[in-house]
Amino acid sequence: MFVVLLGPPGAGKGTQAQRIAEATRLLHISTGDMFRENVKNETELGKLAKTFMDRGELVPDEVTIKMLLERIGRPDASAGVMFDGFPRNVVQAQALDDALAAGGNRIDRALLISVPDEELIARLGGRWICRDCGRLYHERNDPPKVAGKCDHCGGELYQREDDRPEVVRTRLEKQKPPAALIDHYRAAGSLREIDGQRSLDAVTASLLEAIR
Ligand code: AMP
């Protein structure tokens, strides 16, 4: 099974993808996490990606698609994947479709998590990430047991550079799933829309129902 999670920044894609990957046997692939890992390790790819990420802009398709295709070519991705943060546009969606088709697969479900803008701005401000394992927390909606510390591995929590208010506005403007991308999956019959303005558990339950 191959599933894509769509939604604006702050809709809960990362948190829900982690939960769904735990509840199913799907491999969680997040292009944002891959870029952040490269930034942390100061690779050439990371240095390039950072110039876009810091401004809240998308990394160019050519670079992103190459990285993603390399990742899904590895053996652990053959049984099923939960894509989080990819595709962001039709060019990326088409590249993913083509790569899956070459292996006799396709996107079985595209899950669109919708949340109003005002709520997204509030959410992105309160977000914390573990420096070691990448787990996500939220001050208000999903706090760690001990402030500043990861429940999972004890790592230090930090806030993303691109969660600063001025960058958040650009990300919301430039990174909402474009209508053409949503139409791409609607036309393929794989789109399911999920109301993201509910509790984390309620959203997880709806997402799981939509892929089962
Ligand atoms: P995310 O964690 O999904 O919010 O991604 C963080 C940043 O990584 C984004 O603001 C983009 O700069 C970059 N990024 C992640 N996924 C993609 C993608 N599919 N296409 C282009 N840029 C991406």
Side-chain angles (χ1 to χ4, degrees):
M1 180 137 202
F2 292 85
V3 179
V4 299
L5 258 191
L6 306 175
K13 293 191 299 294
T15 304
Q16 294 296 345
Q18 285 174 349
R19 289 171 154 229
I20 291 164
E22 276 165 26
T24 62
R25 296 171 52 152
L26 297 175
L27 173 72
H28 176 201
I29 295 183
S30 155
T31 41
D33 284 352
M34 292 173 78
F35 284 133
R36 278 185 288 279
E37 190 64 25
N38 276 280
V39 170
K40 188 165 105 184
N41 296 332
E42 296 178 8
T43 66
E44 285 308 310
L45 174 62
K47 281 178 209 156
L48 173 73
K50 190 172 185 328
T51 60
F52 296 94
M53 294 168 79
D54 285 350
R55 293 198 301 262
E57 289 176 11
L58 290 177
V59 178
D61 286 342
E62 198 188 87
V63 176
T64 308
I65 290 170
K66 182 162 175 261
M67 174 180 80
L68 191 274
L69 294 186
E70 189 280 319
R71 180 65 190 90
I72 62 175
R74 292 193 226 154
D76 61 347
S78 62
V81 177
M82 158 111 262
F83 294 98
D84 156 21
F86 188 98
R88 296 287 234 272
N89 56 40
V90 175
V91 172
Q92 295 185 3
Q94 196 58 57
L96 180 58
D97 287 352
D98 294 346
L100 291 176
N105 293 310
R106 63 187 173 96
I107 293 298
D108 302 286
R109 281 279 179 276
L111 307 172
L112 172 63
I113 309 180
S114 40
V115 177
D117 280 5
E118 317 78 71
E119 173 67 16
L120 294 172
I121 292 168
R123 286 186 185 187
L124 289 167
R127 189 152 83 162
W128 292 82
I129 307 186
C130 175
R131 217 176 267 293
D132 296 332
C133 74
R135 209 173 178 82
L136 296 166
Y137 296 90
H138 193 276
E139 274 170 18
R140 190 188 63 193
N141 303 331
D142 186 20
K145 292 195 181 79
V146 179
K149 218 173 176 183
C150 178
D151 293 350
H152 195 61
C153 76
E156 179 201 4
L157 302 185
Y158 75 102
Q159 290 201 286
R160 277 168 53 165
E161 268 293 300
D162 58 354
D163 278 346
R164 284 174 293 128
E166 58 285 15
V167 184
V168 163
R169 271 190 291 276
T170 312
R171 285 170 64 213
L172 284 182
E173 243 168 64
K174 301 205 167 171
Q175 300 199 20
K176 278 196 193 154
L181 178 63
I182 297 170
D183 288 344
H184 177 88
Y185 290 113
R186 187 177 286 126
S190 49
L191 187 73
R192 300 288 181 278
E193 265 190 79
I194 308 294
D195 173 8
Q197 213 182 12
R198 295 174 296 151
S199 72
L200 280 176
D201 289 345
V203 175
T204 307
S206 297
L207 291 168
L208 284 172
E209 203 179 290
I211 60 178
R212 275 187 176 140

